[in-house]
Amino acid sequence: MIRFQTERLIAKSEMIVADGRLVEKETEPAVIDIFNLKKRTGLESGLKFYVRGDETVEVCHIGITWQRNRFEVSYGTEKAFEGQGFMKEALSHLVNWIFANTKETEIWGLPNGIVSEHILSSNGFTYYGPLENNPSMKWYRISNLNVD
C-alpha cells in the first residue's frame, strides 16, 4: 500500500511498485466468484487524498493508467474543496513520489479545461501537442529531467 503526506493531505493507494512501475496489486483469484465480488474503491488504480487529521474526509483523487504507451494521470476534486489548491498540492507530491520511487521517466495528462490545464502547468507539465484523434484536446507532459 502506498501512503504519504503533504502539508494538508494524506495520500493512500492499494497500488504497488513492481519492476519499477506503479501497478495494481493483483488480488483477484484466477477464477472470479461473481456472487462475492468486492466493490472497487478507487484505491486499486489510483490515489485518494484525505484531510490530514481526518481520513474519513476525501478531498481529491488521482487516477493512474498506462494507455497509448504513456503513463497517464487523471484527477478530480470534491466540490467542497475546489479552488483551494488541494489538487495542485496532491499532484505535486505525487509527481515527486513517482519519479523518486519508480522507473517512470514521463507523466502525461490530458486536461479537460482551463483549470485542469493550470493545475498541470503549475506543476511543471508543459504543452506537448493535440490528442491524435481529437485536436481540440491537448497533451501535457512532465519528464523527470525537468523536476526539481
Side-chain angles (χ1 to χ4, degrees), residues 93-105:
H93 284 270
L94 179 59
V95 165
N96 289 326
W97 189 93
I98 288 170
F99 288 147
N101 293 283
T102 73
K103 293 180 182 177
E104 298 298 341
T105 59

Side-chain angles (χ1 to χ4, degrees), residues 79-136:
K79 289 272 186 221
F81 298 100
E82 289 179 348
Q84 300 175 47
F86 285 107
M87 183 51 68
K88 180 180 176 187
E89 181 179 326
L91 187 58
S92 171
H93 284 270
L94 179 59
V95 165
N96 289 326
W97 189 93
I98 288 170
F99 288 147
N101 293 283
T102 73
K103 293 180 182 177
E104 298 298 341
T105 59
E106 291 182 321
I107 303 171
W108 293 77
L110 200 56
N112 63 354
I114 302 242
V115 172
S116 187
E117 286 179 31
H118 174 73
I119 290 167
L120 291 172
S121 295
S122 65
N123 276 295
F125 285 72
T126 55
Y127 175 72
Y128 178 78
L131 179 64
E132 296 78 13
N133 61 353
N134 186 347
S136 66

Side-chain angles (χ1 to χ4, degrees), residues 23 37 46 69 116 129 134 138:
V23 296
L37 290 177
N69 293 321
S116 187
N134 186 347
K138 306 169 186 176

Side-chain angles (χ1 to χ4, degrees), residues 15-26:
M15 296 184 82
I16 60 170
V17 176
D19 296 323
R21 286 230 144 116
L22 193 56
V23 296
E24 289 187 33
K25 181 174 74 171
E26 292 187 27

Side-chain angles (χ1 to χ4, degrees), residues 27-147:
T27 58
E28 294 297 322
V31 177
I32 298 176
D33 178 357
I34 63 170
F35 298 106
N36 292 306
L37 290 177
K38 288 195 275 181
K39 182 179 175 186
R40 291 183 63 92
T41 64
L43 294 171
E44 306 88 357
S45 58
L47 289 93
K48 288 189 177 185
F49 293 81
Y50 301 90
V51 170
R52 203 165 162 183
D54 187 353
E55 295 181 35
T56 64
V57 180
E58 184 181 340
V59 176
C60 56
H61 62 274
I62 299 176
I64 296 172
T65 57
W66 183 260
Q67 295 185 83
R68 299 174 274 254
N69 293 321
R70 296 175 172 152
F71 183 88
E72 298 179 27
V73 294
S74 58
Y75 44 86
T77 304
E78 297 296 322
K79 289 272 186 221
F81 298 100
E82 289 179 348
Q84 300 175 47
F86 285 107
M87 183 51 68
K88 180 180 176 187
E89 181 179 326
L91 187 58
S92 171
H93 284 270
L94 179 59
V95 165
N96 289 326
W97 189 93
I98 288 170
F99 288 147
N101 293 283
T102 73
K103 293 180 182 177
E104 298 298 341
T105 59
E106 291 182 321
I107 303 171
W108 293 77
L110 200 56
N112 63 354
I114 302 242
V115 172
S116 187
E117 286 179 31
H118 174 73
I119 290 167
L120 291 172
S121 295
S122 65
N123 276 295
F125 285 72
T126 55
Y127 175 72
Y128 178 78
L131 179 64
E132 296 78 13
N133 61 353
N134 186 347
S136 66
M137 296 187 74
K138 306 169 186 176
W139 279 116
Y140 281 73
R141 74 176 176 175
I142 189 169
S143 164
N144 64 356
L145 301 177
N146 59 348
V147 172

